[in-house]
Amino acid sequence: MNHSTPVQVWPFALTRSVNTGFRIVAAPDFLVDEGRYSLLHDVTAGDPTDDAVYRREYRVRGSESLCLLYRVVYLKASDVGLDGEYAMSGPRRTPLIEGVVCRTPPKPAATQELFAEVHRRCAADVRAFFEADTTTHPVSPFPSFDAPETGESVRVVDLDPYLTEGSTETAREGRRPTRIRRLATAALSAVLSALGLRPGRQAGTVSGEGGQGVVPPEPARGGGTGHPAPSRPRRLARAAGAIVLTVLVILVVRKLK
């Protein structure tokens, strides 16, 4: 009889205390070792619900990806040694995010047994964090464990993948220009205008109640029709200068990326 290989998963948990903001309490040991556990803050979106869990892929560094399967609920008072139904942060219930990270396919099955195991493993650290109520409480690294292969299924809500800069999709779609690139583009535009290679205003269209009408070129000051066109050698010199400046701007941008 063939048995499937167990799926290795790493538990994690995020919550807040009375005076301490939302923080990562427990994280996969490999993310802690690599200093990347803060990604759990970015990826774990979703509203609190008792009847579903969330699944989201974190894509990074080309083809590498992580699968996060987690639930967003409210921290129970009994979990932190308090009376009542929920642990409170002032007048509000305290949110709790807990789940697992999987490094390779196949993805773990979403079962009640899986989340019960995550809750059991992280319970002591969640309580210690809540009682300490301080920003200096360390993140606890957790090793992997074998995800249960069977159990009571939980409804899964799939969220759009979280794409980081450098992932395959962002490279294909194009990254958002950085501040340096935007400044370089603006500088190049100003240089071209100064060289006379970009006119101040072109004829175009404008929308109005009567439809679209032509916007005539702005006349030159003094009632004339504008400056005379530069000679061909001057235009060539300006074009050559613009090319050299463009190359320099590109080299600076590449150096500062």
Side-chain angles (χ1 to χ4, degrees):
M1 181 176 180
N2 293 328
H3 294 279
S4 60
T5 303
V7 179
Q8 291 290 301
V9 295
W10 283 257
F12 68 89
L14 297 82
T15 190
R16 62 164 299 154
S17 190
V18 178
N19 300 305
T20 303
F22 207 72
R23 296 180 63 83
I24 300 169
V25 177
D29 53 5
F30 71 93
L31 290 179
V32 175
D33 292 341
E34 297 169 7
R36 294 198 294 152
Y37 59 86
S38 60
L39 68 86
L40 299 172
H41 262 304
D42 302 326
V43 183
T44 50
D47 296 323
T49 178
D50 291 324
D51 64 355
V53 298
Y54 298 98
R55 182 166 55 205
R56 195 175 194 189
E57 188 176 0
Y58 175 85
R59 296 178 185 171
V60 62
R61 292 201 295 241
S63 60
E64 180 188 359
S65 67
L66 303 174
C67 175
L68 277 71
L69 184 66
Y70 60 93
R71 65 182 179 183
V72 184
V73 293
Y74 290 111
L75 183 64
K76 298 291 182 64
S78 58
D79 290 333
V80 290
L82 299 176
D83 296 328
E85 185 176 5
Y86 296 107
M88 306 298 289
S89 299
R92 299 183 178 181
R93 291 175 291 180
T94 302
L96 170 67
I97 299 177
E98 56 185 6
V100 295
V101 173
C102 181
R103 300 187 74 169
T104 56
K107 299 174 182 177
T111 63
Q112 294 286 2
E113 286 73 12
L114 172 63
F115 286 96
E117 180 63 19
V118 171
H119 189 79
R120 184 188 68 79
R121 289 174 178 262
C122 297
D125 291 273
V126 168
R127 178 167 180 170
F129 164 78
F130 189 88
E131 292 177 344
D133 198 8
T134 173
T135 58
T136 60
H137 193 81
V139 176
S140 299
F142 274 80
S144 64
F145 67 93
D146 294 343
E149 298 181 49
T150 60
E152 182 182 353
S153 298
V154 183
R155 182 171 66 92
V156 176
V157 176
D158 283 301
L159 302 180
D160 291 337
Y162 185 94
L163 307 179
T164 62
E165 191 164 323
S167 64
T168 303
E169 285 75 9
T170 53
R172 181 168 56 247
E173 296 172 2
R175 295 182 296 181
R176 184 178 179 180
T178 63
R179 184 172 183 270
I180 293 176
R181 290 185 177 184
R182 293 196 298 271
L183 290 174
T185 301
L188 179 59
S189 178
V191 169
L192 292 176
S193 295
L195 290 173
L197 297 177
R198 182 171 298 175
R201 179 175 294 182
Q202 299 288 344
T205 61
V206 62
S207 298
E209 293 181 356
Q212 292 186 333
V214 176
V215 180
E218 184 177 357
R221 293 182 180 180
T225 58
H227 298 290
S231 63
R232 187 170 184 274
R234 182 174 294 181
R235 291 198 304 271
L236 292 175
R238 288 178 175 178
I243 292 172
V244 171
L245 288 172
T246 301
V247 172
L248 291 176
V249 169
I250 292 173
L251 290 175
V252 170
V253 171
R254 291 172 63 88
K255 186 71 174 178
L256 295 177
K257 282 198 304 182

